[in-house]
């Protein structure tokens, strides 16, 4: 492992510094280890990262100390695919449709806290009702609720009667697509979600593999979103939908399972294009992924799971996400989702990078979070043990800082 240190910058007036020390600091990428390291935080910003002995000589007498022997400090985790409006029950759709905004928002706030308890300091919410995720995002930023930073998509675009139509994003034709993108942007969306294919959560809609939008419609959504400075996330299970999304220039592909009418159809030339264009793939590996294998059978599960590893080997950038909120995809087991990649044989360093640095870059936040470096937002996680050597250490959350706000989990994780 290499060692490194961050330079110390001047302290801001009017704030209290905090020095966090541990046996090691993973500043990012995860392969960069600072033994007996420290992170110096001033307000919402990281001001220095380096060896403990070096930073201790530069702090003032008023600096607070948080010492964590036997622990690791790493960047706060990032879940790139959640639905805070869904409650992970057997029927989250009925709950969303029956609850009023006040009750739904209260449930969303509780689920956001659960994510923070598990060391998740940034989430990308890929579909809610009435821009409630924006309201929650703003409340968290103002300190009204504990929770991670939320990158909100607001209402996902879908066809009339299509996947997740009940969230209010039904559109048909170029004019309506452009209008919905602009409306979402006006509501505070930071990403545009397009339901390119069907999904199992919506009864009576398109099959999961079946395309809802073709290339021309996706291109219109991308053109309008990019014109507003917003990235596009494409929900795409089917091979045809994945290919159209890549050709249209989306920024991330969600799920990317390569389903076809009679099984699966991996388009190798499209995989090459995904890698060449730097499009990130979020498989949305639920913490309940082992149940998926049981439900679909070992052979089919092995085919789907093995394809994830193969895409990575072809140079496709994978990012961590749980699809939290859909049935059995809980909000309090982010480590369970990361376990999916350990099962596939990914090394610990790569798994942690998928949930920190790589995720931040894919969400266009790579200059703000995903690393521990001077000038970055103080999204900091302290866990017991060494998560590179043993990913289970991520479950042992000792301290979380989200934008500099210190949070100790309500219950052990």
């Amino acid at each position: 492992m290499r060692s490194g240190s961050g330079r110390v910058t001047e302290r801001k007036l009017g704030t209290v510094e905090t020095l966090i020390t541990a046996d090691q600091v993973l500043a990012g990428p995860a392969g960069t280890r600072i033994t007996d390291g420290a992170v110096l935080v001033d307000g919402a910003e990281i001001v220095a990262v380096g060896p403990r002995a070096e930073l201790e000589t530069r702090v003032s007498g008023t600096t607070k100390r948080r010492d964590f022997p036997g622990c690791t400090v790493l960047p706060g985790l990032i879940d790139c695919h959640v639905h805070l409006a869904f409650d992970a029950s057997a029927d989250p759709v009925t709950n969303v449709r029956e609850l009023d905004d006040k009750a739904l928002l209260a449930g969303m706030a509780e689920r956001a806290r659960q994510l923070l308890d598990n060391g998740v300091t940034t989430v990308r919410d890929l579909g809610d009702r009435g821009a409630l995720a924006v309201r929650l995002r703003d409340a968290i930023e103002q300190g009204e609720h504990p929770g991670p930073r939320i990158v909100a998509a607001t209402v996902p675009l879908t066809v009339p009667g299509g996947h997740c139509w009940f969230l209010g994003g039904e559109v048909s034709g170029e004019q309506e697509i452009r209008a919905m993108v602009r409306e979402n942007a006006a509501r505070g969306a930071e990403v545009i979600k397009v339901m390119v294919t069907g999904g199992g959560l919506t009864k009576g809609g398109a099959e999961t593999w079946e395309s809802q939008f073709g290339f021309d419609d996706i291109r219109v959504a991308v053109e309008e979103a990019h014109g507003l400075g917003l990235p596009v996330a494409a929900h795409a299970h089917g091979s045809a939908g994945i290919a159209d999304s890549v050709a249209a220039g989306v920024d991330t592909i969600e799920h990317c399972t390569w389903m076809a009418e009679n099984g699966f159809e991996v388009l190798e030339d499209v995989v090459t294009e995904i890698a060449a264009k730097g499009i990130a793939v979020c498989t949305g590996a639920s913490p309940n992924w082992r149940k998926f294998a049981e439900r679909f059978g070992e052979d089919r599960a092995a085919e789907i799971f093995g394809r994830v590893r193969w895409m990575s080997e072809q140079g496709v950038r994978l990012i961590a996400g749980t699809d939290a909120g859909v049935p059995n995809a809980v909000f309090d087991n982010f480590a369970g989702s990361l376990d999916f990649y350990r099962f596939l044989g990914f090394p610990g360093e790569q798994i942690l990078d998928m949930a920190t640095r790589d995720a931040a870059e894919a969400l266009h936040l790579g200059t703000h979070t995903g690393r521990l470096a001077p000038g970055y937002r103080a999204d900091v996680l302290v866990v017991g043990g060494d998560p590179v050597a043993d990913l289970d250490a991520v479950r042992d959350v000792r301290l979380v800082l989200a934008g500099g706000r210190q949070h100790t989990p309500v219950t052990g994780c």
Side-chain angles (χ1 to χ4, degrees):
M1 297 290 184
R2 302 189 305 273
S3 291
S5 64
R7 62 182 178 82
V8 177
T9 59
E10 289 188 12
R11 179 185 170 209
K12 295 179 181 178
L13 296 176
T15 59
V16 177
E17 291 180 327
T18 300
L19 184 68
I20 301 168
T21 69
D23 286 10
Q24 66 174 354
V25 173
L26 305 178
T32 304
R33 185 193 303 264
I34 304 171
T35 303
D36 194 18
V39 177
L40 183 62
V41 172
D42 193 349
E45 184 178 309
I46 296 170
V47 296
V49 181
R52 182 201 309 249
E54 177 185 335
L55 267 61
E56 283 181 334
T57 65
R58 305 188 186 188
V59 298
S60 71
T62 60
T63 300
K64 291 184 178 180
R65 291 192 60 125
R66 299 295 304 271
D67 299 320
F68 293 93
C71 294
T72 298
V73 185
L74 66 156
L77 303 174
I78 300 173
D79 191 335
C80 295
H81 192 136
V82 306
H83 296 278
L84 288 163
F86 297 153
D87 65 0
S89 67
D91 187 11
V93 173
T94 296
N95 290 335
V96 167
R97 296 180 68 181
E98 291 182 351
L99 293 176
D100 61 24
D101 284 358
K102 182 179 180 181
L104 187 55
L105 191 58
M108 292 170 67
E110 168 58 21
R111 293 186 278 276
R113 184 198 57 77
Q114 291 177 22
L115 287 160
L116 192 63
D117 281 348
N118 281 255
V120 177
T121 57
T122 300
V123 298
R124 184 175 55 157
D125 186 289
L126 288 180
D128 75 337
R129 185 189 77 199
L132 291 177
V134 170
R135 288 173 56 183
L136 180 58
R137 176 195 71 194
D138 294 346
I140 289 171
E141 288 178 355
Q142 292 163 14
E144 297 174 12
H145 298 289
R149 174 179 185 168
I150 298 174
V151 177
T154 66
V155 177
L157 276 65
T158 192
V159 298
H163 185 43
C164 288
W165 63 269
F166 48 84
L167 295 177
E170 294 172 293
V171 292
S172 179
E174 178 175 350
Q175 232 179 355
E176 291 186 6
I177 291 172
R178 291 188 185 278
M180 182 61 69
V181 171
R182 291 194 298 270
E183 184 176 340
N184 281 353
R187 289 173 170 172
E190 296 170 271
V191 59
I192 298 299
K193 173 78 173 294
V194 180
M195 297 295 195
V196 174
T197 69
L201 195 64
T202 304
K203 308 303 180 186
E207 297 291 337
T208 303
W209 57 267
E210 189 177 1
S211 291
Q212 298 190 140
F213 292 111
F215 166 77
D216 289 337
D217 286 335
I218 305 168
R219 180 191 56 78
V220 167
V222 170
E223 181 180 276
E224 192 68 29
H226 285 182
L228 295 168
L230 300 177
V232 175
H235 164 104
H237 282 284
S239 297
I242 294 168
D244 285 338
S245 298
V246 173
V250 303
D251 299 273
T252 67
I253 299 173
E254 312 304 309
H255 310 297
C256 200
T257 47
W258 301 102
M259 290 183 176
E261 185 172 5
N262 297 310
F264 298 92
E265 183 184 10
V266 179
L267 305 176
E268 295 191 14
D269 58 329
V270 176
V271 173
T272 299
E273 191 176 358
I274 292 172
K277 288 184 172 181
I279 298 172
V281 170
C282 181
T283 60
S286 165
N288 196 44
W289 61 270
R290 293 183 188 275
K291 290 293 183 182
F292 175 91
E294 294 175 7
R295 186 168 69 252
F296 287 96
E298 290 187 8
D299 290 343
R300 189 180 184 193
E303 184 179 3
I304 296 173
F305 294 170
R307 195 172 304 117
V308 173
R309 179 65 185 261
W310 175 80
M311 284 195 294
S312 177
E313 292 169 350
Q314 306 313 302
V316 173
R317 179 175 52 172
L318 301 179
I319 55 176
T322 62
D323 209 4
V326 302
N328 300 312
V330 295
F331 291 84
D332 59 356
N333 189 15
F334 187 72
S337 176
L338 296 183
D339 236 359
F340 170 74
Y341 301 101
R342 178 167 60 175
F343 172 79
L344 293 178
F346 284 80
E349 293 95 333
Q350 184 177 357
I351 296 171
L352 292 174
D353 284 345
M354 288 165 53
T356 54
R357 180 196 62 175
D358 296 346
E361 291 177 355
L363 270 55
H364 296 192
L365 297 174
T367 59
H368 304 288
T369 192
R371 300 172 185 256
L372 302 179
Y376 273 57
R377 176 179 151 106
D379 293 334
V380 182
L381 171 62
V382 181
V383 300
D386 180 357
V388 174
D390 182 3
L391 196 62
D392 284 336
V394 174
R395 302 178 186 275
D396 186 8
V397 176
R398 305 294 180 86
L399 177 70
V400 184
L401 268 66
R405 292 193 179 104
Q406 296 191 28
H407 177 75
T408 301
V410 172
T411 59
C413 298

